[in-house]
Amino acid sequence: MTSVPSFPSLEDYVRHYAAAVPSRPAAEHNGTVITYSSLWQAVERRAEELRAAGVRAGSLYPFLTEQNTDFLVTYLAVHAVGAAAVPLGHELPAAEYDAVSAVCRRAVLPHAVDDGENIADVLFTTGSTGQRKGVMTSMRALLGDADNLICGQGFSADTVFVVCGPLNHIGSLSKVWPVLMTGGTLRILDGLKDMNALFRAFDGKRPVATFLVPAAIRLLLRAGGVSLRRISGCTDFIETGGAAVSQSDMEAMCDAFPSSRLYNTYASTETGIVTTYDYNHNPCVSGCLGRALRHSSFAVLSDGRLTCSGDTVMSGYLDDTEGITAQVLRGGTVYTSDLAQTDSLGQLHLTGRAGDVINIGGYKVSPTEVEEAALAAGGVGDCICAPFRSPLFGDTIKLWYVADASVTKQQLARWLAARLEGYKVPRVFEQVDEIKHLFNGKPDRKYYNQQK
């Protein structure tokens, strides 16, 4: 297990490494490298600028994020001032930015009993309802999340982590924390619009790790060929989360990266990092997410719903005038909408999401089961299953899918009929150019549920 020093805040770790290993690269972006010494100096300057601008301890500081090293400077400087960082996507419309800023000006953060309970971050998420909610995360939760990943995935001073997702979302932001806590290096990309940029980030000089949502995993596998073989030998580990990974994609990843650690992680903005599971060095089982990490715990209720507890859970929703926090967070436990079960080893297995189950003529259908079966068919790159009212069949199931031209609707229907019970097989199919996904990589089920 990696041994790291113990400090009360993330910025204290950066300050420590700035003194201990000043010339070590902290972050890289587009060929520009910032050392730990330079990073901390920039953080101190930015903190003074924030204080001069009136940012005070206990306040909230919203800012638009960019995929570069300057994000780290602002993010850490806000913490250094004692304020809560509110990173927002740089493509957020001006009206929505103004609305969030207004909430931040009027909101009052909960009183902290000790320094560890101070709110460090507020991450805004829309969730399945489309209602924007600010999830408050304490410094204790942030450090607990980081330590869970350090212990569960082996982050160390040698880690070079490629960040290719939005830094205002827990999927990528949560990887900043363990890297800076262990004195590793962040390699920040502008996103995944150019897969070649991802391949170039694996330069072969040092083993590299990254986080990819399931849709990006499929893009990686479809790229294949020489590029995939080249990065396979220099890949330390790849983590995925945000949505289920199909069994076929997991098996393909194991074939492509035989020596790398490949992780499925259960995490959410509300629960923090709860479990992680290396499916390349353990049984490759779709939906298996492993045991609870050291700062977290979980339980499955009698109705199958998953609950999570521990140091990593949120402190509540910001400016919660409608009492939503009390519906989700009770007694330090987050009641999720995820459906789960545990195996004989105490490992977590997700089985679906409460609001996603489709009722067709009294039969319950899990859309993820249908989607996983479809993704196992050769030539299918992406898909989503949703309820649909057909003029011919009435209330039924529809499958939107992305596939090679060689895949016909009839072939796909026969493939599913051979693997699923009859009532689970969609009656309507539509081939599309792409499947809509949310910014966190999850399929946009709300959009497709409205396609009546």
Side-chain angles (χ1 to χ4, degrees):
M1 183 180 298
T2 300
S3 176
V4 297
S6 179
F7 295 112
S9 68
L10 185 61
E11 61 272 17
D12 285 331
Y13 284 90
V14 178
R15 178 166 47 201
H16 165 75
Y17 291 118
V21 286
S23 61
R24 180 182 295 171
E28 307 168 1
H29 175 254
N30 283 348
T32 300
V33 178
I34 184 169
T35 66
Y36 272 93
S37 175
S38 298
L39 175 59
W40 182 245
Q41 291 173 20
V43 168
E44 290 187 307
R45 290 193 298 271
R46 186 67 52 82
E48 286 304 313
E49 293 170 0
L50 292 173
R51 292 187 185 98
V55 180
R56 297 290 181 262
S59 64
L60 294 114
Y61 185 76
F63 63 102
L64 296 177
T65 62
E66 297 288 344
Q67 296 292 117
N68 54 34
T69 57
D70 194 62
F71 165 83
L72 299 176
V73 175
T74 298
Y75 178 69
L76 294 166
V78 174
H79 290 170
V81 170
V86 188
L88 302 166
H90 69 276
E91 296 180 349
L92 188 70
E96 291 191 46
Y97 177 81
D98 291 342
V100 171
S101 296
V103 170
C104 291
R105 285 192 297 270
R106 71 170 181 261
V108 177
L109 295 176
H111 175 71
V113 177
D114 59 49
D115 289 342
E117 295 179 357
N118 286 332
I119 301 303
D121 294 346
V122 176
L123 301 182
F124 275 84
T125 175
T126 55
S128 58
T129 64
Q131 180 181 3
R132 190 173 294 280
K133 300 187 293 293
V135 179
M136 297 185 291
T137 301
S138 69
M139 182 58 71
R140 173 178 293 143
L142 184 156
L143 297 179
D145 283 325
D147 198 46
N148 274 355
L149 288 170
I150 291 168
C151 298
Q153 298 180 350
F155 282 78
S156 72
D158 295 325
T159 297
V160 176
F161 199 94
V162 175
V163 176
C164 46
L167 285 164
N168 62 302
H169 179 251
I170 191 174
S172 292
L173 182 59
S174 65
K175 308 313 176 297
V176 169
W177 307 331
V179 170
L180 296 183
M181 275 183 64
T182 55
T185 301
L186 294 161
R187 190 166 286 166
I188 303 173
L189 303 186
D190 295 322
L192 271 183
K193 295 178 181 178
D194 178 11
M195 285 297 291
N196 288 325
L198 177 64
F199 290 128
R200 289 193 296 271
F202 288 69
D203 56 17
K205 297 176 183 177
R206 294 168 62 184
V208 172
T210 193
F211 169 85
L212 299 172
V213 297
I217 291 286
R218 284 190 287 274
L219 288 175
L220 182 69
L221 291 171
R222 292 179 75 179
V226 175
S227 296
L228 197 58
R229 289 194 296 273
R230 182 179 64 80
I231 70 170
S232 175
C234 60
T235 298
D236 185 10
F237 66 88
I238 297 176
E239 181 198 31
T240 191
V245 186
S246 70
Q247 183 72 34
S248 57
D249 282 355
M250 288 170 58
E251 291 171 356
M253 285 292 288
C254 291
D255 289 339
F257 297 89
S259 302
S260 304
R261 303 191 306 282
L262 301 174
Y263 293 105
N264 278 340
T265 296
Y266 181 79
S268 72
T269 317
E270 287 87 350
T271 65
I273 312 296
V274 180
T275 70
T276 195
Y277 178 76
D278 179 1
Y279 62 86
N280 203 18
H281 295 88
N282 292 290
C284 183
V285 179
S286 178
C288 183
L289 296 161
R291 288 183 283 268
L293 296 164
R294 63 187 300 180
H295 297 283
S296 304
S297 63
F298 64 80
V300 179
L301 303 179
S302 58
D303 63 358
R305 286 180 61 198
L306 176 68
T307 67
C308 299
S309 307
D311 289 341
T312 64
V313 302
M314 70 171 180
S315 299
Y317 293 114
L318 182 70
D319 194 39
D320 183 15
T321 58
E322 299 179 6
I324 301 175
T325 297
Q327 302 172 27
V328 178
L329 180 65
R330 301 194 291 276
T333 296
V334 171
Y335 289 73
T336 78
S337 296
D338 290 314
L339 302 176
Q341 60 188 24
T342 57
D343 61 24
S344 60
L345 298 176
Q347 298 179 129
L348 176 67
H349 294 251
L350 285 191
T351 59
R353 194 165 174 84
D356 292 343
V357 174
I358 304 170
N359 190 330
I360 299 296
Y363 291 100
K364 301 296 190 296
V365 180
S366 168
T368 55
E369 181 183 2
V370 179
E371 291 154 8
E372 180 159 335
L375 289 170
V380 176
D382 202 0
C383 65
I384 189 167
C385 173
F388 187 76
R389 177 172 287 279
S390 164
L392 180 62
F393 302 111
D395 288 334
T396 186
I397 304 171
K398 180 173 179 178
L399 186 77
W400 290 261
Y401 66 98
V402 178
D404 298 338
S406 60
V407 179
T408 67
K409 297 177 182 179
Q410 292 78 11
Q411 289 172 331
L412 189 51
R414 286 196 296 270
W415 171 272
L416 294 175
R419 288 158 178 80
L420 299 172
E421 296 168 88
Y423 66 89
K424 297 179 181 179
V425 179
R427 304 292 294 275
V428 181
F429 294 81
E430 181 179 346
Q431 186 168 356
V432 294
D433 293 331
E434 65 176 0
I435 299 297
K436 292 183 179 294
H437 289 264
L438 301 173
F439 68 92
N440 58 8
K442 294 180 180 180
D444 190 351
R445 295 197 183 279
K446 181 180 178 181
Y447 171 82
Y448 288 96
N449 286 341
Q450 295 173 340
Q451 304 301 302
K452 301 298 185 182

